[in-house]
Amino acid sequence: MGRRIKSMIKCIVSGALVVTGLFFLQKLLVPKYAADVVEGALIAEYYQEEKDHDVIFIGDCEVYENFSPQLLWDEYGINSYIRGSAQQLIWQSYYLLEDTLQYETPRAVVFNVLAMEYDTPQKEAYNRMTLEGMEWSKSKHEAILASMTEKENYVDYVFPILRYHSRWSELSGADIDYMFDAPKVSHNGYYMRVDVKAAENIPEGKPLADYRFGDNAYLYLDKLTKLCKVNNIELILVKAPSLYPYWYDEWEEQIEAYAAENGLTYINFLELTQETGLDFQTDTYDGGLHMNLSGAEKITRYLGEFLSEEAAIPDRRGESRLSARWEEKRAWYEKDRREQLLAMAEKGAKPEDTGGGETAQEAVLPEEPEEVHADRKPVDYKGYTFTYQGIRIAMDMEAQPVLKQLGEADSYFEAASCAFDGLDKKYTYGSFELDTYPGEDADHVSAVLFRDDFVTTEEGIGIGDSQGDVFAAYGEDFLTENGMIVYRKDDMKLCFIITDEAVSSIEYRTTVLDE
């Protein structure tokens, strides 16, 4: 054998070893979504299923936590699947449906309209929880391009090891156990919760400068509508009965008008609590954001009747092979329910014990070197600050000392993200609302929203003052975001909504949560 051939063989073997090593390393480092933030596993699970569904759901946590495909089968014989994911943006829903049509063509698609509130890419952590689970196709390629934030790189999605290479310190036994075979976490895309936490002190929505849905959101709603019509699929728009995030009347009017103009069915479950029998004291596990199993089955029953009678989705319980599959699914559905109830009983769990934990960003993405975010570290007073009765409040400062000084709030509300266990909290003190977000070891101030004209900024601007007063106090070097006048300083924003040349809303916001 010649020297040249031997050299070529060595290069090929070396290359193969390197590729194999990188493959195993990537499998180890990429998050498994098996023990924590299990919602990140939802998208990938679809590809393990037989593809003959009559109904496909697409959307965010208001879909995968509020509707039960198992009940649709048990009571109506409807074969369905939920292709949902945390903070699923409308363009991601569109491309997921496009991807689905490579495998099957359902009779109906159910889309949850809350995603219309977003017109631009949002957060990398949520993007990855949707996009990384998709199998490679033109649809995934387009979804990545449409979803990436300014700081993301396409190549990091092609080779995830480039994004997760520094995740060594976060590895656990689950990363080894589930390198190649992660456990199932959903029931045909439904994420089951059986615990109970009653809805209390649900806040009203914050004022918006512009209530119109964005052009990009409408673009993809049009594309979604067209894709369904071209494939003879009935598109059904729904608004889940989640009480928070707030659903504005102006948003409702736009969806109603769109549905009427395009001949679509629109079901707003917020308006059907009596018809569905929902009880927000017993049918939600997180204070009204998402339904528990009891609530999900109630609204699924209503939807199932519509799908069966109005959309003419067939009852397929007479198909022996399909029925056998669903019997296996039901066994696990009941097992999951029993195990959750047993775990709660063993822990003596109380509704108020369901908070705490890490954010999706912390759980999904590796920490970057500390110097990268050195300017983000909470300090006592940075940017524009707000002072109330001698108490000075700055964005990102530790919240507990401030809350202790302010005393008991008039009302309190906490909201868990659809993809992490940490709690965003809202404290209302008469003339203003103070919001916090969970840090690694403490809560930090994320926003202060003025509620009336009894308080002012440190520069003397309050609700009712003129636009000229704002310019005199802060200058005219500002940004415009979503119709608001925004002054940015350090890692915070001071936002003004101007209505008829007068200030109608003032809010201090951190920028840390924007990244």
Side-chain angles (χ1 to χ4, degrees), residues 301-441:
R301 213 166 261 119
Y302 183 97
L303 181 63
E305 186 173 340
F306 172 85
L307 291 172
S308 178
E309 297 183 2
E310 302 298 328
I313 305 299
D315 183 340
R316 300 176 61 186
R317 284 174 288 187
E319 300 179 26
S320 58
R321 187 164 178 266
L322 183 58
S323 294
R325 286 210 316 262
W326 276 105
E327 279 304 309
E328 293 178 2
K329 292 175 185 292
R330 164 151 283 288
W332 184 51
Y333 189 81
E334 291 298 335
K335 181 174 181 287
D336 191 6
R337 182 181 67 86
R338 288 194 302 270
E339 289 180 349
Q340 288 192 44
L341 290 171
L342 180 61
M344 289 172 58
E346 290 177 347
K347 292 180 180 178
K350 299 178 181 179
E352 60 267 26
D353 294 337
T354 57
E358 61 185 352
T359 67
Q361 185 75 17
E362 292 163 346
V364 175
L365 301 178
E367 292 185 5
E368 297 181 23
E370 188 170 340
E371 62 268 21
V372 173
H373 295 309
D375 60 336
R376 280 197 198 170
K377 291 182 179 179
V379 295
D380 284 341
Y381 307 120
K382 70 177 182 180
Y384 296 105
T385 59
F386 168 61
T387 300
Y388 177 74
Q389 296 183 351
I391 304 167
R392 200 172 183 191
I393 304 171
M395 297 303 99
D396 302 315
M397 69 189 305
E398 189 172 331
Q400 192 55 41
V402 174
L403 296 172
K404 186 175 181 180
Q405 287 181 285
L406 291 171
E408 185 177 355
D410 295 338
S411 65
Y412 167 76
F413 175 77
E414 59 187 32
S417 163
C418 59
F420 61 84
D421 293 328
L423 296 173
D424 294 329
K425 302 173 183 177
K426 298 178 181 291
Y427 303 84
T428 301
Y429 296 93
S431 293
F432 67 95
E433 172 192 290
L434 186 149
D435 297 356
T436 70
Y437 67 91
E440 291 185 8
D441 53 1

Side-chain angles (χ1 to χ4, degrees), residues 228-289:
C228 287
K229 288 184 177 179
V230 166
N231 287 277
N232 197 30
I233 299 169
E234 180 169 356
L235 176 60
I236 300 167
L237 308 179
V238 298
K239 172 64 186 76
S242 302
L243 300 177
Y244 187 88
Y246 188 78
W247 182 250
Y248 296 89
D249 291 340
E250 293 85 352
W251 291 357
E252 175 71 7
E253 292 170 2
Q254 291 174 75
I255 296 298
E256 287 179 347
Y258 187 90
E261 290 168 6
N262 290 274
L264 305 178
T265 295
Y266 171 50
I267 304 173
N268 184 347
F269 284 96
L270 282 169
E271 299 177 347
L272 295 172
T273 54
Q274 185 172 354
E275 291 85 346
T276 57
L278 273 181
D279 182 346
F280 285 99
Q281 297 301 301
T282 59
D283 291 335
T284 171
Y285 76 84
D286 56 2
L289 281 73

Side-chain angles (χ1 to χ4, degrees), residues 437-451:
Y437 67 91
E440 291 185 8
D441 53 1
D443 288 344
H444 299 279
V445 176
S446 61
V448 170
L449 174 69
F450 288 11
R451 294 167 54 87

